[in-house]
Amino acid sequence: MATADGSNAEIDTRLFITVSGPPGCGATTLCQRLADAMGCPYVSGGDIFRELADDRDMSLNQLTAEADGSADIDRALDQRLQQIAEKWGMANKPFILESRLAGWLAGERADLRIWLDAPEDVRLDRIDDRGETDAEMLVREVSEAGRYQSYYEIDIGNQTFYDLHINTARWSKHGVFSLVRTAIEEYDPEMDEGAFTTPELDP
């Protein structure tokens, strides 16, 4: 049963949803709430990247620096995420994939592609408890953007194919969730005509 603010409202859907955005955009918070409401799993590219860092006994900043010098880390991560997207794209079950490239990697398999963002100062405040300094976060953003352009000719600033853009600094966590919930509940697959086509990647 939903509370007065609808925070526990269940969402009856079979949509495959991707959530993307820069560090501190609020993607993790949204994905956790969506997964609970939809009763489905979600996979985070950030978690997989952190697992890679832990496996190598490295910090995020160290692994980012290593990834700058070799394509192997990024390509392995992206290939894994793309395999997950392929699996769930055919499952006809609700699922959430979250990463900077989730929308690109999922391509037309995704039903709803979401981009979250917030002003830099807001995002920096949000990462205080992550063990990553402000400078490291900014370096990581620039580094990732450069690698995406180099590997796949992706301009991460090109967000035209996303279905929903939200500045998470303008709403509360519940407000962001409510916006996305409405988009999911009002989703109409018959309205795909004229939708942007997402280029397929081949990691």
Side-chain angles (χ1 to χ4, degrees):
M1 181 176 180
T3 60
D5 67 358
S7 59
N8 292 331
E10 295 182 358
I11 302 174
D12 183 12
T13 181
R14 291 183 176 272
L15 297 187
F16 173 16
I17 298 168
T18 68
V19 179
S20 303
C25 69
T28 299
T29 299
L30 174 63
C31 287
Q32 289 172 342
R33 297 192 70 174
L34 282 177
D36 287 343
M38 294 165 60
C40 73
Y42 86 89
V43 170
S44 164
D47 287 343
I48 295 177
F49 195 78
R50 288 180 178 85
E51 288 175 5
L52 288 173
D54 289 342
D55 290 344
R56 296 165 183 251
D57 196 24
M58 302 171 71
S59 69
L60 283 177
N61 201 40
Q62 289 171 328
L63 188 60
T64 297
E66 183 170 308
D68 270 338
S70 170
D72 293 344
I73 294 172
D74 277 332
R75 290 187 182 277
L77 172 63
D78 295 339
Q79 186 174 41
R80 174 60 179 150
L81 291 172
Q82 193 169 49
Q83 289 170 348
I84 292 170
E86 290 172 353
K87 171 186 173 182
W88 286 95
M90 297 184 295
N92 194 30
K93 296 180 180 178
F95 183 69
I96 302 164
L97 182 66
E98 182 268 313
S99 81
R100 290 286 296 279
L101 289 185
W104 296 86
L105 292 168
E108 295 306 309
R109 302 176 191 88
D111 298 299
L112 179 64
R113 294 179 290 268
I114 301 169
W115 179 266
L116 304 181
D117 207 344
E120 185 177 290
D121 59 333
V122 174
R123 295 190 292 105
L124 289 172
D125 284 342
R126 291 173 176 171
I127 67 161
D128 280 346
D129 61 349
R130 297 188 183 180
E132 185 177 20
T133 67
D134 295 0
E136 287 172 343
M137 187 196 83
L138 296 175
V139 167
R140 179 156 64 98
E141 283 189 66
V142 173
S143 172
E144 288 175 346
R147 297 202 304 272
Y148 301 151
Q149 182 67 48
S150 174
Y151 298 162
Y152 309 123
E153 297 184 354
I154 287 178
D155 175 6
I156 198 65
N158 176 12
Q159 298 148 22
T160 54
F161 65 90
Y162 287 98
D163 304 298
L164 187 63
H165 298 238
I166 301 177
N167 176 356
T168 60
R170 297 184 67 87
W171 285 273
S172 66
K173 294 176 183 178
H174 173 65
V176 172
F177 171 76
S178 295
L179 288 171
V180 174
R181 182 181 63 199
T182 299
I184 294 171
E185 293 175 340
E186 295 295 328
Y187 175 83
D188 183 353
E190 300 300 322
M191 298 295 290
D192 282 342
E193 184 177 354
F196 290 100
T197 300
T198 312
E200 294 284 345
L201 301 186
D202 184 14

